[in-house]
Amino acid sequence: MSTERVVYKTLDDLNIKYDITKHPAIFTVEEANVIDELNKGFGCKNLFLKDRKGSKFFLVVLSQNKRANLKDLQKKLSSSPLSFASEEKLYYYLKLTKGSVTPFGILNDINHEVELVFDKDIVNKDCLGFHPNVNTATVWLSFKDLQRVIEKCGNHFHIIEI
């Protein structure tokens, strides 16, 4: 089963209501902003980070309009200095490729090694858009429902101010 189908099956199994928008492949927030169909909810960006030793990995989710201060994040997560993880590590842990980074990648993290970090500004949103492990579609759902998926997977997550 494709990683995209795994996302839809998981949502269906949890009886989560969601919508799907199909679109051309997009790799950046800027590319997404020019597609009218992607303006129906709250857009997020996703950053795959690692600590200095490469022993801890974080998927950081924040508003598409915000910038993440890595030194601030490091302090709030009680981590060693953070930097962007390689594409190889992204694929190793989440089976994702550049441009398709999404919290749904944790469905592929069978050892629950990646910690999710959410900006508190998105926690109460009812319509968040994320790729379903491919960058040719966007799935729309509430944060509350996304949290149900994370809890099913068993990954640790943080909600902090970014």
Side-chain angles (χ1 to χ4, degrees), residues 10 17 49 58 68 75 86 114 130 144:
T10 301
K17 182 182 176 222
L49 305 175
F58 302 93
K75 290 176 188 162
S86 69
V114 176
F130 298 105
K144 200 172 4 178

Side-chain angles (χ1 to χ4, degrees), residues 31-146:
E31 291 174 356
N33 285 339
V34 300
I35 299 175
D36 287 339
E37 294 84 8
L38 296 179
N39 292 324
K40 69 179 180 180
F42 193 79
C44 296
K45 62 180 162 185
N46 307 280
L47 311 174
F48 189 57
L49 305 175
K50 66 175 186 72
D51 70 356
R52 179 185 306 176
K53 293 180 184 175
S55 59
K56 288 185 84 175
F57 291 85
F58 302 93
L59 180 59
V60 179
V61 183
L62 64 156
S63 164
Q64 67 182 8
N65 301 319
K66 278 194 166 182
R67 293 185 62 109
N69 180 318
L70 297 188
K71 286 186 181 188
D72 256 7
L73 274 175
Q74 168 196 335
K75 290 176 188 162
K76 290 178 180 180
L77 296 171
S78 300
S79 170
S80 60
L82 297 171
S83 62
F84 287 90
S86 69
E87 290 180 50
E88 292 79 19
K89 293 295 184 186
L90 174 63
Y91 190 79
Y92 177 81
Y93 287 102
L94 301 177
K95 304 298 181 258
L96 298 174
T97 57
K98 183 179 175 182
S100 62
V101 181
T102 172
F104 291 122
I106 63 164
L107 295 170
N108 302 317
D109 181 16
I110 57 173
N111 294 321
H112 318 294
E113 296 176 85
V114 176
E115 295 181 33
L116 290 106
V117 180
F118 294 97
D119 181 28
K120 70 178 187 82
D121 288 349
I122 68 169
V123 170
N124 295 316
K125 301 297 182 190
D126 290 327
C127 189
L128 297 170
F130 298 105
H131 292 312
N133 291 341
V134 294
N135 65 354
T136 55
T138 298
V139 171
W140 303 95
L141 75 167
S142 70
F143 180 81
K144 200 172 4 178
D145 286 335
L146 177 61

